[in-house]
Amino acid sequence: MNFTISKQAFGNALAIVGHAVSSSSPQPYLRGIYIEASGNELVLTGSNADISIQKKVIADDENKLNIVEEGSILMEASYLNEIVKKLDADIISVEIIDGSLTRFAGSEAVFKINGMNTNDYPKIDFSKPMSSISMPASLLLEIIDQTTFAASTKETKPVLTGVNFHLADNVLKCTATDSYRLAKKTLDFKSDADFNITIPSKSLNEVRSTMLADAENIEIAQNDKKAQFWSEDMVLQTRLLDGGYPETDRLIPSEFTQKLTINRNDLIHAIDRTIFIKTDNITVDRLILSADELVLTNKSQEIGESTERLNGKYEGEPIDISFTGPYVMEACKVLHGDTVNVNFTGYMKPIIITCDDDPSVLHLILPVRTYN
Amino acid sequence: MNFTISKQAFGNALAIVGHAVSSSSPQPYLRGIYIEASGNELVLTGSNADISIQKKVIADDENKLNIVEEGSILMEASYLNEIVKKLDADIISVEIIDGSLTRFAGSEAVFKINGMNTNDYPKIDFSKPMSSISMPASLLLEIIDQTTFAASTKETKPVLTGVNFHLADNVLKCTATDSYRLAKKTLDFKSDADFNITIPSKSLNEVRSTMLADAENIEIAQNDKKAQFWSEDMVLQTRLLDGGYPETDRLIPSEFTQKLTINRNDLIHAIDRTIFIKTDNITVDRLILSADELVLTNKSQEIGESTERLNGKYEGEPIDISFTGPYVMEACKVLHGDTVNVNFTGYMKPIIITCDDDPSVLHLILPVRTYN
C-alpha cells in the first residue's frame, strides 16, 4: 500500500471512523482502524461491539488522494490520529515498508509505525438490508435531539436505553422513555416500509456527531438484526436492542382538564434556578396553579426553599402538582417554539408538554408524590 | 444583615473566594463562604487547609452595593453560586430573616436558604507580616508560569511540590524542581527584605487565577509560617512548605561544551510529534547532533520510531543524548523568544535551556540513559 493524501481530509476521515473505535479495549484490533486503498478510493473502517463505521475517501481535488499502490493496513487509532494531526506538511504519504510496518512522512518528519495483522480484523457485514427509508439529515437530527435525552441510562431494562422507531401506515413514531418520562415524535411519513425497531441512544448520538452536519439526506436501512445510516460517503451500522418495546400510546391522555400556557424560556429558567434545591438528591419542583396565581416552588428540609411567581395563562380548576424539575426542563429545552403548553389531567396523573409551533412532539412526565 | 448588590459584582466576588473553598470537605464550614457586611463594604472569606482568600467589595457605582443593616452569614458556597448566577434581576437583595435563614430575592424569584452558624467559622489570622516586597502583577504571572510546571506533583518530598522564593542581596531567585528537571528565574530585585520560603505550586496557581488578571501590583508579605499576596481589594494567604529547599545553584553548569540554537516553536512541534511514542509509558527522545546534521529521533519496541531532521545551528563536538521529551517541550513553551539555546556539557550531563531574549530564566533537564 502506498498513497498520498491531504492531511486535513485524512484527519477528518480518521476522526469520524474513530467514533466506533474502543480505545481502551483489551482486543488490540478493536483499538484499530482498518484502511484499504484500492482504485481511486480509501475505505476506513472502525468497529466496536455496538457500532461499525465505514467511511470512503474518493480521490478529488480537495482531498488530493493519490493511490500509488493498493493494499491495506490495520493500525491503532490513537497512533494514526497523533501522526496525522501533527505531521509537518499539508500532504502526507503513507506506505507499507515491511509486513505491517508503515511509513508516514510529512516534510522533515518521518514515522515508521508497527501495524497489526490485517487478517485479525473481523469481517464486518455492511450489506444493505432491503427495507429502507430516506429523510433529510435535519429531520433525523431533530428526531434524535427531541427523543434520546428521555431514554433510560440504566441497563436494568436494556430496551429502554434506546429510541423506538415504529413505521406503519405512513406514520413514523419515534419514542424514548425511562418509565418516568417519555418523549414522542410523530411524523406523517409516506413509505412502503414498515418496521418496529429500537436503536440504542448511544448509536443515535454517534450518528448525530459523525454524519448529520455534512449530509443532505440520510438513508436508514434495517432488518431485525441491525440498522444502517447511509450518507453519500459513509455508513454507520448499529446493533438493535432486543425485546419488545412497551406499548406507550395508551399511557398518553388525549383530553386534559387543566392547561398552563407559558413562555418556554421563562419556565426553563425558573426551574433551572431551583435545580440546586434537592431532597434525597432529586430536585422536586411544585406548581401551584389557579386562575389568580401561578407559583413554582421547591422546599428541601436541608437546604431551604424557593418561590417564584410565573407569568402565563392558566385554564381549569386549581392544581397543586409536584414533579422532577430537570425532566420538565429538559423536555422544554428540545421544543422549538416560544410558548409551551403544560397540560394536566389531575393530581398524580401524567403531565403532557406540547408546543403549538411544533405539534409533532409530545413529552409526558409522571408527577411525584410529596408529603408536605 | 440586609444588603442589595449588583448580581455580577457579587457573583465575581463569590467566584474568587470560592477558589479557597473545599466543596467536598466533610466539614460543612469549609464548604462555606463567610460574608460580613459592615460600613460600606462587604467582606467575603473562603478557606481550606492550604489557602484562605479574603475579598472586599466596597460600595461604588458599578457594584451598586447598599448595606441596609450590618451582619454576617456563613453559607454553602455552591448554594450562593447557584442563586447569584441564576437570579432573575441585575440587582439582588440578601437579608437574614430568622437566625441563619437568609432570603435572596431578584425580581420574581425568592429563595430562603439555611445558613450555618457563623460562630462555627474558624478565626483566620489575616494580619500582615512586617516583611514584604511588591512587584507588578505581570512579573509575578511570569514567575508563576515559568516555574510552577517544573515542581514535583508527588508528595514523597513535599518541599519539592512548591516554588522556592529566595531573596538576598537584591537578587530574587525563584526555583522549582522535581529532581529530574529544574526551572529557575533570577531577577535583580532592590529590597531591604531577605527571605527563603517555599510556596506550594497549587497556591501560586490560585494566585494566578484569582488576582493577577485584575491587579496592577501585588504585595507579597511573608514570615516563616505563611505568605500573603495582596492586591487592592483582596488577599490570598497560603501556608508555606516546611523543610529546607535543596541548594540547586551548584547543580547548574556555567560552561558548556556544545550548543544547539534552534527556533523555539520548531523544537516544540518536533518533540510534540513524538509524544505518543512511549517506552514504559515515557516519551524518551534522542538528539543526535553534529556539524553536518541535527536529528531528533524516538524509538519504541512496541510502537515504532520517528526521525526528524531539525534546522538549527550547532557548535561543538558531536553528541548523542536522550531525554524525557515533554520536559524539554514544557521548558521551551514557557520561554519568551523566537530562539532557544540548548546547551550541553557532555553525555549524561545536565541539559541547560536558555533564551537570549529572556535571560532571567534557565531550565535544567537531566538526560536519560538509553541502551539502544
Side-chain angles (χ1 to χ4, degrees):
Chain A
M1 190 182 69
N2 185 351
F3 64 88
T4 55
I5 188 170
S6 128
K7 178 168 108 155
Q8 198 186 338
F10 197 28
N12 290 347
L14 288 169
I16 285 171
V17 175
H19 278 263
V21 169
S22 312
S23 55
S24 57
S25 168
Q27 297 282 17
Y29 64 83
L30 290 182
R31 303 194 302 259
I33 290 176
Y34 180 79
I35 302 175
E36 198 170 359
S38 75
N40 68 338
E41 69 183 33
L42 219 55
V43 179
L44 294 83
T45 308
S47 183
N48 64 37
D50 294 319
I51 63 167
S52 301
I53 298 177
Q54 191 158 82
K55 163 99 181 161
K56 274 185 192 167
V57 181
I58 300 164
D60 66 21
D61 283 354
E62 208 176 318
N63 62 43
K64 302 250 180 13
L65 173 63
N66 179 26
I67 295 174
V68 181
E69 196 184 329
E70 300 189 337
S72 60
I73 59 167
L74 171 58
M75 185 167 289
E76 187 103 14
S78 62
Y79 305 165
L80 285 165
N81 287 325
E82 279 285 318
I83 292 169
V84 173
K85 194 168 70 194
K86 294 177 180 169
L87 258 179
D88 60 340
D90 292 337
I91 302 289
I92 62 181
S93 84
V94 181
E95 183 184 1
I96 294 179
I97 49 175
D98 185 12
S100 65
L101 187 67
T102 307
R103 181 181 185 275
F104 298 82
S107 164
E108 290 295 343
V110 177
F111 294 87
K112 293 175 190 165
I113 304 295
N114 298 320
M116 294 179 253
N117 189 332
T118 50
N119 295 328
D120 289 347
Y121 205 67
K123 295 274 162 281
I124 300 163
D125 176 13
F126 281 105
S127 64
K128 194 194 283 187
M130 291 288 287
S131 163
S132 82
I133 59 171
S134 205
M135 66 173 73
S138 57
L139 178 59
L140 182 57
L141 178 66
E142 215 174 72
I143 293 174
I144 293 173
D145 282 350
Q146 293 184 324
T147 58
T148 49
F149 76 94
S152 175
T153 52
K154 300 203 186 84
E155 289 295 332
T156 41
K157 283 191 197 164
V159 79
L160 296 189
T161 62
V163 177
N164 181 251
F165 285 71
H166 186 182
L167 176 61
D169 307 327
N170 296 321
V171 175
L172 176 64
K173 293 179 187 170
C174 308
T175 311
T177 179
D178 61 4
S179 21
Y180 303 102
R181 56 166 161 186
L182 176 146
K184 182 175 214 111
K185 190 166 175 85
T186 308
L187 298 161
D188 291 329
F189 202 91
K190 216 168 156 47
S191 169
D192 295 336
D194 64 274
F195 52 75
N196 186 353
I197 56 174
T198 306
I199 301 174
S201 293
K202 261 170 65 180
S203 303
L204 290 169
N205 286 325
E206 293 297 1
V207 168
R208 188 191 197 296
S209 30
T210 56
M211 56 197 304
L212 296 188
D214 294 327
E216 280 265 311
N217 259 279
I218 302 291
E219 184 184 0
I220 307 175
Q222 56 74 40
N223 58 27
D224 55 351
K225 292 272 178 296
K226 67 184 183 185
Q228 288 177 336
F229 296 82
W230 290 88
S231 70
E232 212 171 294
D233 59 0
M234 71 173 279
V235 53
L236 184 150
Q237 173 167 302
T238 170
R239 71 180 177 97
L240 299 177
L241 292 168
D242 293 332
Y245 199 80
E247 182 47 61
T248 56
D249 280 348
R250 59 183 176 76
L251 304 174
I252 303 169
S254 52
E255 306 227 327
F256 307 107
T257 50
Q258 291 111 323
K259 178 178 169 185
L260 168 67
T261 307
I262 187 169
N263 179 281
R264 190 171 67 95
N265 280 324
D266 286 354
L267 183 57
I268 290 172
H269 291 147
I271 295 174
D272 193 29
R273 277 189 273 278
T274 69
I275 289 290
F276 75 102
I277 308 182
K278 294 180 182 182
T279 302
D280 297 334
N281 223 17
I282 294 170
T283 301
V284 176
D285 285 322
R286 181 176 169 191
L287 278 170
I288 305 169
L289 308 176
S290 69
D292 299 334
E293 204 178 48
L294 313 173
V295 175
L296 179 78
T297 171
N298 182 324
K299 188 169 191 168
S300 138
Q301 202 61 38
E302 189 198 337
I303 299 170
E305 62 178 85
S306 70
T307 325
E308 179 161 351
R309 226 165 298 271
L310 302 174
N311 286 310
K313 201 180 116 201
Y314 183 68
E315 298 160 57
E317 292 292 302
I319 196 168
D320 178 343
I321 194 165
S322 296
F323 52 88
T324 309
Y327 286 0
V328 171
M329 187 169 78
E330 287 168 26
C332 290
K333 277 190 178 171
V334 300
L335 289 170
H336 304 312
D338 290 341
T339 305
V340 292
N341 308 310
V342 187
N343 302 288
F344 308 93
T345 50
Y347 178 69
M348 286 314 291
K349 295 280 169 53
I351 301 168
I352 301 291
I353 300 177
T354 59
C355 184
D356 293 342
D357 293 337
D358 187 9
S360 67
V361 192
L362 169 153
H363 295 287
L364 177 154
I365 285 126
L366 289 186
V368 173
R369 199 179 294 274
T370 55
Y371 302 93
N372 54 355
Chain B
M1 190 181 70
N2 185 351
F3 64 89
T4 55
I5 187 169
S6 128
K7 180 167 108 155
Q8 200 186 337
F10 196 28
N12 289 348
L14 288 170
I16 284 170
V17 175
H19 278 265
V21 170
S22 311
S23 55
S24 57
S25 169
Q27 299 282 14
Y29 64 85
L30 290 182
R31 303 195 301 259
I33 290 176
Y34 180 79
I35 302 175
E36 199 170 1
S38 74
N40 68 340
E41 69 183 34
L42 218 55
V43 180
L44 294 83
T45 308
S47 182
N48 63 36
D50 294 319
I51 63 167
S52 301
I53 298 178
Q54 191 158 83
K55 162 99 180 161
K56 274 184 196 169
V57 181
I58 301 164
D60 66 20
D61 283 353
E62 210 177 318
N63 61 44
K64 303 252 183 1
L65 173 63
N66 179 28
I67 295 174
V68 181
E69 194 186 331
E70 300 191 336
S72 60
I73 59 167
L74 171 58
M75 186 167 288
E76 187 104 12
S78 63
Y79 304 166
L80 286 164
N81 286 325
E82 278 285 318
I83 293 170
V84 173
K85 194 168 71 194
K86 294 179 180 168
L87 259 180
D88 59 340
D90 291 339
I91 301 289
I92 62 183
S93 85
V94 181
E95 181 185 4
I96 294 179
I97 49 175
D98 184 13
S100 65
L101 187 67
T102 306
R103 181 180 184 278
F104 297 83
S107 164
E108 289 296 343
V110 177
F111 293 87
K112 293 176 190 165
I113 304 295
N114 299 318
M116 295 178 253
N117 188 332
T118 50
N119 294 328
D120 288 349
Y121 205 67
K123 296 272 163 282
I124 301 164
D125 175 15
F126 280 107
S127 64
K128 194 193 282 190
M130 292 288 288
S131 162
S132 82
I133 60 171
S134 204
M135 66 172 75
S138 58
L139 178 60
L140 182 56
L141 178 66
E142 213 173 74
I143 293 174
I144 293 173
D145 281 350
Q146 293 183 324
T147 58
T148 50
F149 77 94
S152 177
T153 52
K154 301 203 184 82
E155 289 296 333
T156 40
K157 283 190 196 164
V159 77
L160 295 189
T161 62
V163 177
N164 181 253
F165 285 71
H166 187 182
L167 176 61
D169 307 327
N170 295 321
V171 175
L172 175 65
K173 294 178 186 171
C174 308
T175 311
T177 178
D178 61 4
S179 16
Y180 303 102
R181 54 164 162 189
L182 176 145
K184 182 175 215 113
K185 188 164 177 88
T186 308
L187 299 160
D188 291 329
F189 201 90
K190 215 166 157 51
S191 169
D192 293 337
D194 64 275
F195 52 76
N196 187 351
I197 57 174
T198 306
I199 301 174
S201 293
K202 260 170 67 179
S203 303
L204 290 168
N205 286 325
E206 293 296 2
V207 169
R208 188 189 197 294
S209 29
T210 55
M211 57 198 302
L212 296 189
D214 294 328
E216 281 264 312
N217 258 279
I218 302 291
E219 184 183 0
I220 306 174
Q222 56 73 42
N223 58 25
D224 56 353
K225 293 274 179 292
K226 67 184 184 184
Q228 288 176 337
F229 296 82
W230 291 86
S231 69
E232 214 171 292
D233 60 359
M234 69 172 280
V235 52
L236 184 151
Q237 174 167 299
T238 170
R239 73 181 176 96
L240 300 177
L241 292 168
D242 294 331
Y245 199 80
E247 182 46 64
T248 56
D249 280 349
R250 58 182 176 77
L251 303 174
I252 302 168
S254 52
E255 306 229 326
F256 307 107
T257 51
Q258 291 111 323
K259 176 177 171 186
L260 169 66
T261 308
I262 187 168
N263 178 280
R264 190 171 68 94
N265 280 325
D266 285 355
L267 183 57
I268 290 172
H269 291 148
I271 294 174
D272 192 30
R273 276 189 273 278
T274 68
I275 288 290
F276 75 102
I277 307 181
K278 295 179 181 181
T279 301
D280 298 334
N281 224 18
I282 294 169
T283 300
V284 177
D285 284 322
R286 181 174 168 193
L287 278 169
I288 305 168
L289 307 175
S290 69
D292 300 334
E293 204 178 45
L294 313 173
V295 175
L296 178 78
T297 172
N298 182 325
K299 189 169 190 169
S300 138
Q301 202 62 38
E302 189 198 336
I303 299 170
E305 61 178 87
S306 70
T307 326
E308 178 162 351
R309 228 165 295 273
L310 303 174
N311 286 310
K313 204 180 114 199
Y314 183 68
E315 298 160 57
E317 292 293 302
I319 195 168
D320 178 342
I321 194 164
S322 296
F323 53 89
T324 308
Y327 287 1
V328 170
M329 188 169 76
E330 287 167 25
C332 289
K333 277 189 177 169
V334 301
L335 289 169
H336 304 313
D338 292 340
T339 305
V340 293
N341 308 310
V342 186
N343 302 289
F344 307 93
T345 49
Y347 178 70
M348 286 314 291
K349 296 278 169 54
I351 302 167
I352 301 290
I353 301 177
T354 59
C355 184
D356 292 341
D357 293 336
D358 186 8
S360 67
V361 192
L362 167 154
H363 295 288
L364 176 152
I365 285 126
L366 289 187
V368 173
R369 199 178 295 276
T370 54
Y371 301 95
N372 54 357

